[in-house]
Amino acid sequence: MLLNESIDALDLKRGGTYIDATLGGSGHSRLLLSRLNGGRLYAFDQDQVAIDNAKKTFEDPRLTLIHDNFANLDQHDIGRVDGILYDLGVSSPQFDEAARGFSYKLDAKLDMRMDQTSSSLTAYDVVNTYTFNDLMRIFSRYGEEPFAKQIARKIEQAREIQPIETTLQLADLIKSAMPQKALKKKGHPAKRVFQALRIEVNDELGSLETSLHKAIEMLKPGGRIAVISFQSLEDRIVKSIFRENSEVDVPRGIPVIPDEMKPKLKIIARKPILASDEELLHNNRAHSAKLRVAERL
Ligand SMILES: C[S@@+](CC[C@H](N)C(=O)[O-])C[C@H]1O[C@@H](n2cnc3c(N)ncnc32)[C@H](O)[C@@H]1O
């Protein structure tokens, strides 16, 4: 997704040190290394499966694989870097593997953990133990689901009889809570609730926020940060963190701006970069992809 555009945006420097915060199927890491003269790449993924696949198929002495959440970017003795890339969300292998429980079309136990080794909260726990109010809040906030209340109510009623165990059971419940008119709209009716559960289970927005603040501190002057996001909540976080680090708010009467008040970033493109027409033809998911880029001052 936005493969060439995002690597171009990093403006790679000969011998530079880079971080791919979201290794996934390694597409971006491979292209980055193929274009990097010398240098190093640290690639993070919280999914052990992604790390193991890369270990098996991707050899490059410049590459270090790190199994960790990108919220812990600063805990690996990497030092300062010339660029950091994020390609957020779920990878195709995660989505296509039924057992991971990310898909509303493949039957599996409700799971949705990206890191199956350490994080303990699963979609099953959320669906079966969160209060009606909390369910409604996450469906509405993280999924922007207009029928959040009705769906939360259905879940509450259903789990009183027996726990909701599987993805398809949940998808059917969601459908049964929605009016006929809404079911006929474009897009799968369970999409927004599944997105909300995934965000909650993996604390996706919290990790992104924590990580972006650390990433900005880790960049060398002239270093670039490039973030590809897929939904408005993520994009809003990226946009607002970039903006708050690129503006100065100097009180009147201060003749010289103290260092700690100077902006840290220069925003490279005011408008996000979108997928090309050609990519849109091949990849439906690319329609919602947005790339934002900033440079450390
Ligand atoms: C969209 S995929 C990346 C695809 C990759 N750029 C490629 O070319 O194949 C996102 C990946 O980021 C990982 N990920 C998402 N959130 C993460 C986080 N907070 N920390 C570490 N990895 C994360 C997911 O496990 C997934 O493998």
Side-chain angles (χ1 to χ4, degrees), residues 1 3 6 20-30 44-51 66-72 85-94 100 102 113-115 198 202-204 206-208 211 228 230 234 285:
M1 196 84 53
L3 187 59
S6 55
D20 179 351
T22 52
L23 170 76
S26 316
H28 287 82
S29 280
R30 276 177 204 275
F44 282 72
D45 206 298
Q46 62 178 334
D47 186 353
Q48 186 65 50
V49 178
I51 299 287
I66 302 175
H67 175 231
D68 200 354
N69 193 305
F70 58 51
N72 304 324
L85 171 72
Y86 296 79
D87 176 16
L88 299 170
V90 183
S91 68
S92 312
Q94 286 169 335
R100 302 296 297 263
F102 286 109
R113 286 169 303 157
M114 285 188 190
D115 183 353
R198 205 195 77 206
N202 298 289
D203 185 23
E204 290 183 28
S207 301
L208 177 62
S211 187
I228 305 169
F230 291 91
E234 288 169 345
R285 220 176 138 236

Side-chain angles (χ1 to χ4, degrees), residues 221-234:
R224 293 256 177 119
I225 177 165
V227 189
I228 305 169
S229 65
F230 291 91
Q231 33 101 347
S232 52
L233 299 164
E234 288 169 345

